[in-house]
Amino acid sequence: DINMESGLSIYPNPDKNVLNLVNKTNSSLDNMVIFDINGKKVNQIDLRAMQGEKSVDISNLASGVYVIQIIGKNASTVKRLIKE
């Protein structure tokens, strides 16, 4: 079984417009929450219907560093995103 940390990836990173989330775990995911560097929630995406990979439009985000929390049924992980 692949754990959440190594089984989830985002690409491309840095990115400008569309972020792709890949789930190689056996876990189903609930949602992805994007926070700015100050900890303010800027977006939340429902992942319950996700099948392996999901594209997320981030073109409306300002340039900077973001923290992405990916929440699953039994675990969660955090990734860092650089928006160009």
Short mmCIF file of all heavy atoms in Angstrom, two decimals, residues 11-74:
data_model
loop_
_atom_site.label_atom_id
_atom_site.label_comp_id
_atom_site.label_asym_id
_atom_site.label_seq_id
_atom_site.Cartn_x
_atom_site.Cartn_y
_atom_site.Cartn_z
N TYR A 11 1.57 18.38 -10.28
CA TYR A 11 2.47 18.84 -11.34
C TYR A 11 1.69 19.73 -12.28
O TYR A 11 0.46 19.63 -12.33
CB TYR A 11 3.09 17.63 -12.07
CG TYR A 11 2.12 16.90 -12.98
CD1 TYR A 11 1.99 17.24 -14.32
CD2 TYR A 11 1.30 15.88 -12.49
CE1 TYR A 11 1.09 16.59 -15.15
CE2 TYR A 11 0.41 15.23 -13.31
CZ TYR A 11 0.32 15.58 -14.64
OH TYR A 11 -0.58 14.94 -15.46
N PRO A 12 2.28 20.59 -13.08
CA PRO A 12 3.67 21.03 -12.93
C PRO A 12 3.79 21.94 -11.70
O PRO A 12 2.80 22.52 -11.26
CB PRO A 12 3.94 21.81 -14.21
CG PRO A 12 2.60 22.30 -14.64
CD PRO A 12 1.61 21.27 -14.18
N ASN A 13 4.97 22.03 -11.18
CA ASN A 13 5.21 22.88 -10.02
C ASN A 13 6.63 23.42 -10.12
O ASN A 13 7.55 22.63 -10.00
CB ASN A 13 5.03 22.08 -8.73
CG ASN A 13 4.94 22.94 -7.49
OD1 ASN A 13 4.89 24.15 -7.57
ND2 ASN A 13 4.96 22.29 -6.35
N PRO A 14 6.84 24.70 -10.40
CA PRO A 14 5.90 25.82 -10.43
C PRO A 14 4.90 25.71 -11.59
O PRO A 14 5.13 25.01 -12.55
CB PRO A 14 6.78 27.04 -10.62
CG PRO A 14 8.19 26.60 -10.52
CD PRO A 14 8.21 25.12 -10.61
N ASP A 15 3.79 26.43 -11.45
CA ASP A 15 2.70 26.35 -12.41
C ASP A 15 2.08 27.73 -12.62
O ASP A 15 2.25 28.61 -11.79
CB ASP A 15 1.64 25.38 -11.89
CG ASP A 15 0.61 25.01 -12.92
OD1 ASP A 15 0.83 25.27 -14.12
OD2 ASP A 15 -0.43 24.46 -12.54
N LYS A 16 1.36 27.88 -13.74
CA LYS A 16 0.69 29.15 -14.03
C LYS A 16 -0.83 29.03 -14.07
O LYS A 16 -1.52 29.89 -13.55
CB LYS A 16 1.17 29.71 -15.39
CG LYS A 16 2.59 30.19 -15.38
CD LYS A 16 2.98 30.79 -16.71
CE LYS A 16 4.42 31.23 -16.68
NZ LYS A 16 4.84 31.85 -17.92
N ASN A 17 -1.36 27.98 -14.71
CA ASN A 17 -2.79 27.95 -14.98
C ASN A 17 -3.54 26.71 -14.48
O ASN A 17 -4.56 26.84 -13.84
CB ASN A 17 -3.04 28.08 -16.49
CG ASN A 17 -2.57 29.41 -17.01
OD1 ASN A 17 -2.91 30.44 -16.45
ND2 ASN A 17 -1.78 29.41 -18.07
N VAL A 18 -3.05 25.53 -14.79
CA VAL A 18 -3.77 24.30 -14.44
C VAL A 18 -2.85 23.37 -13.68
O VAL A 18 -1.79 22.98 -14.16
CB VAL A 18 -4.32 23.58 -15.69
CG1 VAL A 18 -5.00 22.29 -15.31
CG2 VAL A 18 -5.29 24.49 -16.44
N LEU A 19 -3.27 23.01 -12.47
CA LEU A 19 -2.52 22.11 -11.61
C LEU A 19 -3.14 20.72 -11.72
O LEU A 19 -4.36 20.58 -11.70
CB LEU A 19 -2.62 22.61 -10.16
CG LEU A 19 -1.95 21.75 -9.09
CD1 LEU A 19 -0.44 21.84 -9.24
CD2 LEU A 19 -2.38 22.22 -7.72
N ASN A 20 -2.31 19.71 -11.84
CA ASN A 20 -2.79 18.33 -11.90
C ASN A 20 -2.44 17.61 -10.61
O ASN A 20 -1.30 17.66 -10.15
CB ASN A 20 -2.15 17.60 -13.09
CG ASN A 20 -2.56 18.23 -14.40
OD1 ASN A 20 -3.73 18.19 -14.76
ND2 ASN A 20 -1.63 18.83 -15.10
N LEU A 21 -3.43 16.94 -10.04
CA LEU A 21 -3.25 16.13 -8.85
C LEU A 21 -3.36 14.67 -9.26
O LEU A 21 -4.34 14.28 -9.91
CB LEU A 21 -4.33 16.46 -7.80
CG LEU A 21 -4.41 15.54 -6.60
CD1 LEU A 21 -3.16 15.62 -5.74
CD2 LEU A 21 -5.65 15.86 -5.77
N VAL A 22 -2.36 13.86 -8.89
CA VAL A 22 -2.35 12.44 -9.22
C VAL A 22 -2.42 11.64 -7.93
O VAL A 22 -1.63 11.88 -7.01
CB VAL A 22 -1.07 12.06 -10.01
CG1 VAL A 22 -1.05 10.57 -10.31
CG2 VAL A 22 -0.98 12.87 -11.29
N ASN A 23 -3.36 10.70 -7.88
CA ASN A 23 -3.53 9.84 -6.70
C ASN A 23 -3.15 8.41 -7.07
O ASN A 23 -3.86 7.73 -7.80
CB ASN A 23 -4.99 9.89 -6.23
CG ASN A 23 -5.23 9.03 -5.01
OD1 ASN A 23 -4.32 8.46 -4.44
ND2 ASN A 23 -6.48 8.95 -4.60
N LYS A 24 -1.98 7.95 -6.57
CA LYS A 24 -1.53 6.58 -6.80
C LYS A 24 -1.72 5.71 -5.56
O LYS A 24 -1.14 4.65 -5.46
CB LYS A 24 -0.06 6.58 -7.22
CG LYS A 24 0.18 7.23 -8.56
CD LYS A 24 1.63 7.18 -8.94
CE LYS A 24 1.85 7.87 -10.28
NZ LYS A 24 3.26 8.01 -10.60
N THR A 25 -2.53 6.19 -4.63
CA THR A 25 -2.80 5.41 -3.42
C THR A 25 -4.09 4.62 -3.62
O THR A 25 -4.83 4.84 -4.57
CB THR A 25 -2.98 6.32 -2.19
OG1 THR A 25 -4.22 7.03 -2.30
CG2 THR A 25 -1.83 7.30 -2.05
N ASN A 26 -4.37 3.75 -2.69
CA ASN A 26 -5.64 3.02 -2.70
C ASN A 26 -6.71 3.78 -1.92
O ASN A 26 -7.83 3.30 -1.77
CB ASN A 26 -5.45 1.63 -2.09
CG ASN A 26 -4.58 0.74 -2.94
OD1 ASN A 26 -4.59 0.86 -4.16
ND2 ASN A 26 -3.82 -0.12 -2.32
N SER A 27 -6.36 4.96 -1.42
CA SER A 27 -7.28 5.75 -0.61
C SER A 27 -8.14 6.65 -1.48
O SER A 27 -7.66 7.24 -2.44
CB SER A 27 -6.50 6.64 0.36
OG SER A 27 -5.68 5.87 1.19
N SER A 28 -9.41 6.75 -1.10
CA SER A 28 -10.27 7.73 -1.78
C SER A 28 -10.07 9.07 -1.08
O SER A 28 -9.83 9.14 0.13
CB SER A 28 -11.72 7.29 -1.76
OG SER A 28 -12.12 6.97 -0.46
N LEU A 29 -10.15 10.14 -1.86
CA LEU A 29 -9.89 11.48 -1.34
C LEU A 29 -11.20 12.23 -1.15
O LEU A 29 -12.17 12.00 -1.89
CB LEU A 29 -8.98 12.24 -2.30
CG LEU A 29 -7.63 11.57 -2.59
CD1 LEU A 29 -6.84 12.38 -3.60
CD2 LEU A 29 -6.83 11.37 -1.32
N ASP A 30 -11.22 13.14 -0.19
CA ASP A 30 -12.40 13.95 0.08
C ASP A 30 -12.30 15.33 -0.56
O ASP A 30 -13.14 15.73 -1.34
CB ASP A 30 -12.63 14.11 1.58
CG ASP A 30 -13.09 12.81 2.24
OD1 ASP A 30 -13.76 12.02 1.55
OD2 ASP A 30 -12.77 12.60 3.41
N ASN A 31 -11.24 16.06 -0.20
CA ASN A 31 -11.09 17.38 -0.80
C ASN A 31 -9.66 17.88 -0.73
O ASN A 31 -8.81 17.30 -0.07
CB ASN A 31 -12.07 18.41 -0.18
CG ASN A 31 -11.92 18.53 1.31
OD1 ASN A 31 -10.83 18.69 1.83
ND2 ASN A 31 -13.03 18.45 2.00
N MET A 32 -9.43 18.94 -1.47
CA MET A 32 -8.14 19.61 -1.52
C MET A 32 -8.40 21.06 -1.15
O MET A 32 -9.28 21.70 -1.73
CB MET A 32 -7.56 19.50 -2.93
CG MET A 32 -6.28 20.27 -3.13
SD MET A 32 -5.46 19.83 -4.69
CE MET A 32 -6.41 20.76 -5.86
N VAL A 33 -7.65 21.56 -0.18
CA VAL A 33 -7.82 22.94 0.27
C VAL A 33 -6.52 23.68 -0.02
O VAL A 33 -5.44 23.21 0.32
CB VAL A 33 -8.14 23.00 1.77
CG1 VAL A 33 -8.42 24.43 2.20
CG2 VAL A 33 -9.32 22.09 2.11
N ILE A 34 -6.65 24.84 -0.68
CA ILE A 34 -5.48 25.65 -1.02
C ILE A 34 -5.45 26.86 -0.08
O ILE A 34 -6.44 27.58 0.02
CB ILE A 34 -5.53 26.11 -2.49
CG1 ILE A 34 -5.61 24.89 -3.42
CG2 ILE A 34 -4.30 26.96 -2.82
CD1 ILE A 34 -5.78 25.22 -4.88
N PHE A 35 -4.31 27.04 0.58
CA PHE A 35 -4.10 28.16 1.50
C PHE A 35 -3.00 29.05 0.95
O PHE A 35 -2.02 28.54 0.39
CB PHE A 35 -3.66 27.66 2.88
CG PHE A 35 -4.65 26.78 3.57
CD1 PHE A 35 -4.59 25.40 3.45
CD2 PHE A 35 -5.65 27.33 4.35
CE1 PHE A 35 -5.50 24.58 4.09
CE2 PHE A 35 -6.58 26.52 5.00
CZ PHE A 35 -6.50 25.15 4.87
N ASP A 36 -3.13 30.36 1.14
CA ASP A 36 -2.03 31.24 0.79
C ASP A 36 -0.95 31.14 1.88
O ASP A 36 -1.12 30.45 2.88
CB ASP A 36 -2.49 32.68 0.54
CG ASP A 36 -3.02 33.40 1.76
OD1 ASP A 36 -2.79 32.92 2.90
OD2 ASP A 36 -3.66 34.44 1.59
N ILE A 37 0.15 31.84 1.70
CA ILE A 37 1.28 31.72 2.61
C ILE A 37 0.95 32.24 4.01
O ILE A 37 1.60 31.89 4.98
CB ILE A 37 2.53 32.42 2.01
CG1 ILE A 37 3.81 31.91 2.68
CG2 ILE A 37 2.41 33.93 2.08
CD1 ILE A 37 4.11 30.47 2.39
N ASN A 38 -0.11 33.05 4.13
CA ASN A 38 -0.54 33.56 5.43
C ASN A 38 -1.54 32.64 6.13
O ASN A 38 -2.01 32.96 7.22
CB ASN A 38 -1.16 34.95 5.28
CG ASN A 38 -0.16 35.95 4.73
OD1 ASN A 38 0.99 35.99 5.17
ND2 ASN A 38 -0.58 36.74 3.77
N GLY A 39 -1.89 31.53 5.48
CA GLY A 39 -2.81 30.58 6.09
C GLY A 39 -4.27 30.81 5.76
O GLY A 39 -5.14 30.12 6.28
N LYS A 40 -4.56 31.76 4.88
CA LYS A 40 -5.94 32.04 4.49
C LYS A 40 -6.39 31.04 3.41
O LYS A 40 -5.70 30.83 2.42
CB LYS A 40 -6.05 33.47 3.95
CG LYS A 40 -7.45 33.82 3.50
CD LYS A 40 -7.49 35.22 2.90
CE LYS A 40 -8.84 35.47 2.26
NZ LYS A 40 -8.78 36.45 1.21
N LYS A 41 -7.56 30.44 3.61
CA LYS A 41 -8.09 29.50 2.61
C LYS A 41 -8.52 30.29 1.38
O LYS A 41 -9.32 31.21 1.47
CB LYS A 41 -9.27 28.71 3.19
CG LYS A 41 -9.85 27.71 2.21
CD LYS A 41 -10.76 26.71 2.87
CE LYS A 41 -12.11 27.31 3.15
NZ LYS A 41 -13.09 26.28 3.57
N VAL A 42 -7.99 29.91 0.21
CA VAL A 42 -8.31 30.62 -1.03
C VAL A 42 -9.14 29.77 -1.99
O VAL A 42 -9.76 30.30 -2.90
CB VAL A 42 -7.05 31.15 -1.74
CG1 VAL A 42 -6.37 32.22 -0.90
CG2 VAL A 42 -6.07 30.04 -2.06
N ASN A 43 -9.16 28.44 -1.77
CA ASN A 43 -9.96 27.58 -2.65
C ASN A 43 -10.12 26.21 -2.00
O ASN A 43 -9.25 25.77 -1.25
CB ASN A 43 -9.28 27.43 -4.02
CG ASN A 43 -10.22 26.93 -5.09
OD1 ASN A 43 -11.38 26.62 -4.82
ND2 ASN A 43 -9.73 26.85 -6.31
N GLN A 44 -11.24 25.56 -2.30
CA GLN A 44 -11.47 24.19 -1.84
C GLN A 44 -12.10 23.43 -2.99
O GLN A 44 -13.06 23.89 -3.60
CB GLN A 44 -12.38 24.17 -0.61
CG GLN A 44 -12.60 22.77 -0.09
CD GLN A 44 -13.22 22.74 1.30
OE1 GLN A 44 -12.97 23.62 2.10
NE2 GLN A 44 -14.02 21.73 1.56
N ILE A 45 -11.54 22.25 -3.28
CA ILE A 45 -12.00 21.45 -4.41
C ILE A 45 -12.46 20.09 -3.89
O ILE A 45 -11.75 19.42 -3.14
CB ILE A 45 -10.85 21.26 -5.44
CG1 ILE A 45 -10.41 22.61 -6.01
CG2 ILE A 45 -11.28 20.35 -6.58
CD1 ILE A 45 -9.23 23.20 -5.35
N ASP A 46 -13.64 19.68 -4.30
CA ASP A 46 -14.21 18.38 -3.93
C ASP A 46 -13.52 17.30 -4.76
O ASP A 46 -13.52 17.36 -5.99
CB ASP A 46 -15.71 18.40 -4.21
CG ASP A 46 -16.42 17.15 -3.73
OD1 ASP A 46 -15.74 16.15 -3.43
OD2 ASP A 46 -17.66 17.17 -3.65
N LEU A 47 -12.95 16.30 -4.10
CA LEU A 47 -12.23 15.22 -4.80
C LEU A 47 -12.95 13.88 -4.69
O LEU A 47 -12.41 12.86 -5.10
CB LEU A 47 -10.82 15.07 -4.21
CG LEU A 47 -9.91 16.29 -4.31
CD1 LEU A 47 -8.59 16.00 -3.61
CD2 LEU A 47 -9.68 16.70 -5.75
N ARG A 48 -14.17 13.85 -4.18
CA ARG A 48 -14.84 12.58 -3.94
C ARG A 48 -15.10 11.79 -5.22
O ARG A 48 -15.14 10.57 -5.19
CB ARG A 48 -16.13 12.79 -3.17
CG ARG A 48 -15.86 13.18 -1.71
CD ARG A 48 -17.10 13.51 -0.98
NE ARG A 48 -17.69 14.72 -1.57
CZ ARG A 48 -18.74 15.35 -1.09
NH1 ARG A 48 -19.35 14.91 -0.03
NH2 ARG A 48 -19.19 16.44 -1.67
N ALA A 49 -15.26 12.45 -6.35
CA ALA A 49 -15.50 11.74 -7.62
C ALA A 49 -14.23 11.57 -8.44
O ALA A 49 -14.28 11.12 -9.58
CB ALA A 49 -16.55 12.51 -8.43
N MET A 50 -13.09 11.89 -7.86
CA MET A 50 -11.81 11.83 -8.58
C MET A 50 -11.45 10.39 -8.94
O MET A 50 -11.57 9.49 -8.12
CB MET A 50 -10.72 12.44 -7.71
CG MET A 50 -9.35 12.41 -8.33
SD MET A 50 -8.18 13.21 -7.23
CE MET A 50 -6.66 12.61 -7.93
N GLN A 51 -10.98 10.20 -10.18
CA GLN A 51 -10.54 8.88 -10.65
C GLN A 51 -9.07 8.97 -11.06
O GLN A 51 -8.76 9.20 -12.21
CB GLN A 51 -11.38 8.44 -11.86
CG GLN A 51 -12.84 8.27 -11.58
CD GLN A 51 -13.11 7.04 -10.73
OE1 GLN A 51 -12.42 6.03 -10.84
NE2 GLN A 51 -14.11 7.13 -9.87
N GLY A 52 -8.15 8.83 -10.13
CA GLY A 52 -6.73 8.77 -10.46
C GLY A 52 -6.04 10.10 -10.65
O GLY A 52 -4.97 10.33 -10.12
N GLU A 53 -6.64 11.00 -11.45
CA GLU A 53 -6.02 12.30 -11.71
C GLU A 53 -7.11 13.36 -11.86
O GLU A 53 -8.17 13.09 -12.40
CB GLU A 53 -5.17 12.23 -12.99
CG GLU A 53 -4.38 13.49 -13.24
CD GLU A 53 -3.28 13.31 -14.29
OE1 GLU A 53 -2.83 12.17 -14.52
OE2 GLU A 53 -2.87 14.33 -14.86
N LYS A 54 -6.79 14.57 -11.38
CA LYS A 54 -7.74 15.68 -11.49
C LYS A 54 -6.98 16.94 -11.84
O LYS A 54 -5.93 17.22 -11.28
CB LYS A 54 -8.48 15.87 -10.17
CG LYS A 54 -9.48 17.03 -10.23
CD LYS A 54 -10.55 16.88 -9.17
CE LYS A 54 -11.54 18.01 -9.21
NZ LYS A 54 -12.60 17.81 -10.17
N SER A 55 -7.54 17.72 -12.77
CA SER A 55 -6.98 19.02 -13.14
C SER A 55 -7.74 20.11 -12.41
O SER A 55 -8.96 20.07 -12.33
CB SER A 55 -7.09 19.24 -14.65
OG SER A 55 -6.33 18.27 -15.33
N VAL A 56 -6.99 21.08 -11.88
CA VAL A 56 -7.58 22.17 -11.10
C VAL A 56 -7.11 23.49 -11.70
O VAL A 56 -5.90 23.71 -11.86
CB VAL A 56 -7.17 22.08 -9.62
CG1 VAL A 56 -7.72 23.25 -8.83
CG2 VAL A 56 -7.62 20.76 -9.01
N ASP A 57 -8.06 24.37 -12.03
CA ASP A 57 -7.73 25.69 -12.57
C ASP A 57 -7.23 26.58 -11.45
O ASP A 57 -7.94 26.84 -10.48
CB ASP A 57 -8.98 26.29 -13.22
CG ASP A 57 -8.72 27.65 -13.84
OD1 ASP A 57 -7.56 28.11 -13.85
OD2 ASP A 57 -9.69 28.26 -14.33
N ILE A 58 -5.98 27.05 -11.57
CA ILE A 58 -5.42 27.96 -10.57
C ILE A 58 -5.07 29.30 -11.19
O ILE A 58 -4.34 30.10 -10.60
CB ILE A 58 -4.19 27.35 -9.87
CG1 ILE A 58 -3.09 27.03 -10.87
CG2 ILE A 58 -4.57 26.13 -9.06
CD1 ILE A 58 -1.74 26.79 -10.24
N SER A 59 -5.60 29.59 -12.38
CA SER A 59 -5.25 30.82 -13.08
C SER A 59 -5.69 32.08 -12.32
O SER A 59 -5.12 33.14 -12.51
CB SER A 59 -5.84 30.82 -14.50
OG SER A 59 -7.24 30.72 -14.43
N ASN A 60 -6.70 31.94 -11.45
CA ASN A 60 -7.20 33.10 -10.70
C ASN A 60 -6.35 33.42 -9.47
O ASN A 60 -6.55 34.45 -8.84
CB ASN A 60 -8.65 32.88 -10.28
CG ASN A 60 -8.81 31.67 -9.37
OD1 ASN A 60 -8.06 30.70 -9.49
ND2 ASN A 60 -9.78 31.70 -8.50
N LEU A 61 -5.41 32.54 -9.11
CA LEU A 61 -4.57 32.79 -7.94
C LEU A 61 -3.45 33.77 -8.28
O LEU A 61 -2.91 33.74 -9.39
CB LEU A 61 -3.94 31.48 -7.43
CG LEU A 61 -4.89 30.40 -6.94
CD1 LEU A 61 -4.08 29.18 -6.51
CD2 LEU A 61 -5.76 30.89 -5.81
N ALA A 62 -3.09 34.61 -7.32
CA ALA A 62 -1.97 35.53 -7.51
C ALA A 62 -0.67 34.75 -7.46
O ALA A 62 -0.59 33.66 -6.89
CB ALA A 62 -2.00 36.59 -6.40
N SER A 63 0.38 35.30 -8.06
CA SER A 63 1.69 34.67 -8.00
C SER A 63 2.15 34.57 -6.55
O SER A 63 1.92 35.49 -5.76
CB SER A 63 2.70 35.48 -8.79
OG SER A 63 2.35 35.50 -10.15
N GLY A 64 2.78 33.46 -6.21
CA GLY A 64 3.26 33.29 -4.85
C GLY A 64 3.34 31.83 -4.46
O GLY A 64 3.20 30.94 -5.28
N VAL A 65 3.56 31.59 -3.17
CA VAL A 65 3.67 30.25 -2.63
C VAL A 65 2.37 29.89 -1.91
O VAL A 65 1.83 30.70 -1.15
CB VAL A 65 4.87 30.14 -1.66
CG1 VAL A 65 4.95 28.74 -1.05
CG2 VAL A 65 6.16 30.48 -2.37
N TYR A 66 1.88 28.69 -2.17
CA TYR A 66 0.64 28.21 -1.57
C TYR A 66 0.87 26.86 -0.91
O TYR A 66 1.77 26.11 -1.30
CB TYR A 66 -0.47 28.06 -2.63
CG TYR A 66 -0.90 29.38 -3.20
CD1 TYR A 66 -0.22 29.96 -4.26
CD2 TYR A 66 -1.97 30.07 -2.66
CE1 TYR A 66 -0.60 31.19 -4.77
CE2 TYR A 66 -2.36 31.30 -3.15
CZ TYR A 66 -1.67 31.86 -4.21
OH TYR A 66 -2.04 33.07 -4.70
N VAL A 67 0.06 26.56 0.08
CA VAL A 67 0.09 25.26 0.75
C VAL A 67 -1.20 24.54 0.38
O VAL A 67 -2.29 25.11 0.49
CB VAL A 67 0.19 25.44 2.28
CG1 VAL A 67 0.07 24.10 2.98
CG2 VAL A 67 1.50 26.12 2.66
N ILE A 68 -1.06 23.31 -0.07
CA ILE A 68 -2.22 22.51 -0.48
C ILE A 68 -2.37 21.36 0.50
O ILE A 68 -1.45 20.55 0.66
CB ILE A 68 -2.04 21.97 -1.91
CG1 ILE A 68 -1.91 23.14 -2.87
CG2 ILE A 68 -3.19 21.05 -2.29
CD1 ILE A 68 -1.64 22.72 -4.30
N GLN A 69 -3.52 21.30 1.15
CA GLN A 69 -3.82 20.18 2.04
C GLN A 69 -4.77 19.25 1.29
O GLN A 69 -5.82 19.67 0.83
CB GLN A 69 -4.46 20.66 3.33
CG GLN A 69 -4.75 19.53 4.30
CD GLN A 69 -5.39 19.98 5.59
OE1 GLN A 69 -6.03 21.03 5.63
NE2 GLN A 69 -5.24 19.20 6.63
N ILE A 70 -4.36 17.99 1.17
CA ILE A 70 -5.16 16.98 0.50
C ILE A 70 -5.68 16.04 1.57
O ILE A 70 -4.90 15.43 2.30
CB ILE A 70 -4.34 16.24 -0.56
CG1 ILE A 70 -3.75 17.25 -1.56
CG2 ILE A 70 -5.19 15.19 -1.27
CD1 ILE A 70 -2.60 16.73 -2.37
N ILE A 71 -7.00 15.95 1.67
CA ILE A 71 -7.63 15.21 2.75
C ILE A 71 -8.31 13.96 2.20
O ILE A 71 -9.12 14.05 1.27
CB ILE A 71 -8.66 16.10 3.48
CG1 ILE A 71 -7.95 17.35 4.00
CG2 ILE A 71 -9.36 15.34 4.60
CD1 ILE A 71 -8.88 18.48 4.37
N GLY A 72 -7.96 12.82 2.78
CA GLY A 72 -8.56 11.55 2.39
C GLY A 72 -9.42 11.00 3.51
O GLY A 72 -9.62 11.64 4.54
N LYS A 73 -9.91 9.79 3.31
CA LYS A 73 -10.78 9.15 4.30
C LYS A 73 -10.07 8.94 5.64
O LYS A 73 -10.63 9.16 6.69
CB LYS A 73 -11.29 7.81 3.78
CG LYS A 73 -12.16 7.93 2.55
CD LYS A 73 -13.53 8.45 2.89
CE LYS A 73 -14.39 8.51 1.65
NZ LYS A 73 -15.29 9.63 1.62
N ASN A 74 -8.82 8.46 5.59
CA ASN A 74 -8.12 8.08 6.82
C ASN A 74 -6.84 8.87 7.07
O ASN A 74 -6.15 8.62 8.05
CB ASN A 74 -7.76 6.59 6.78
CG ASN A 74 -9.00 5.73 6.62
OD1 ASN A 74 -10.00 5.95 7.29
ND2 ASN A 74 -8.94 4.76 5.73
#
